[in-house]
Amino acid sequence: MIKPELKPLNPVNPGYATLLLKGWKGGLEGVEISILRNQDNLYLDSHGGWVSGEMFLGLPALGLVDDVPAVQVGPSFIDPLLANRQAAYRLVIKDSMARDVGILAITDGLLSSQAGGENPLVVNSQALHVTPPAQPEPVVETPAPEPIADVPAAPAKRKAPVAIILAIIALLLVAAAAGWWFMRKPTSVEAPAPAVAPVAKISGPCGDDQMKSGNAMDFVKGCLRSQPSSAQLLDVIAKAKADKKCDVAQRLYAYKAQSGDSQMAMRYAQEYDPKSAQADGCFSPDPQTASYWYEAVVNQDPQNAEAKARLAELKK
């Protein structure tokens, strides 16, 4: 897994940055990347927009910064990422021989192009070009096996008296069952299983009313300003997930996990872990994203056996 990182130039030039591709083992030319936003599973295109299909963006030839492959990128790359600092971004990189993936880290100090007005083009910062995504291999459907025809059983040869005796026995059994039904004592009706208790109502800056009334970004900012504990924030996230406010849940997770909260990073990893991800929830199983956050937990807490075990399992 690579560790891509965006760092401001020195001196800072709004709208431009250095993209470091730590751990990239491929070549320096013919390199392409795709950027996936976790909040809505949209991909960055070459015009700074977000689209549903995966788009690979061609990079200029990479250079080396302290022996790390790197390239300078401009506003069409920087501005869309800085417009939503609470999101997490997955970067896939490939060339003709290698392919890798990692979660993009955005260093403090980056400025969008809007902060500097008209900026001169930085050397080696070129427009990104979209290359069509690889077409998936056609799926050949295996025809279902022909159903095995039922073989009719040979008709049994019964004598007439035997059939009459069986019919009389059947009538007696029916009469006995009817008598039992009418003579039995009524039994109590089993109570239905209790419904799952809803998440308790939350008040204050992180409360239900605030979540419903404002937009997601304003709510997240107001909630975080109140400095809730990790336990309180997990309650807010649970409420957001129950109400299908998925963007709120994702932004709260991302902010706390990126700020070094190992408990929140662990829970965030579990949301993407195929072993624990909930069906039809706000998060889709994604082993690579789960691995990234488990790795963050292990870096902060090397004694976390659960995170280490899941990380080892996902990397198999």
Side-chain angles (χ1 to χ4, degrees), residues 304-314:
N304 193 314
E306 183 181 0
K308 292 168 68 175
R310 291 306 303 146
L311 182 60
E313 181 67 25
L314 290 170

Side-chain angles (χ1 to χ4, degrees), residues 38 55-56 64 70 78 88 103 127 136 147 168 171 173 175 187 189 203 213 219 253 258 276 301 303 305:
N38 72 324
M55 307 294 286
F56 278 94
L64 293 176
I78 299 299
I103 304 299
I168 293 172
L171 289 173
L173 290 175
T187 57
V189 179
S203 58
S213 61
F219 171 78
Y253 264 136
Q258 290 172 345
S276 53
D301 180 12
Q303 305 304 317

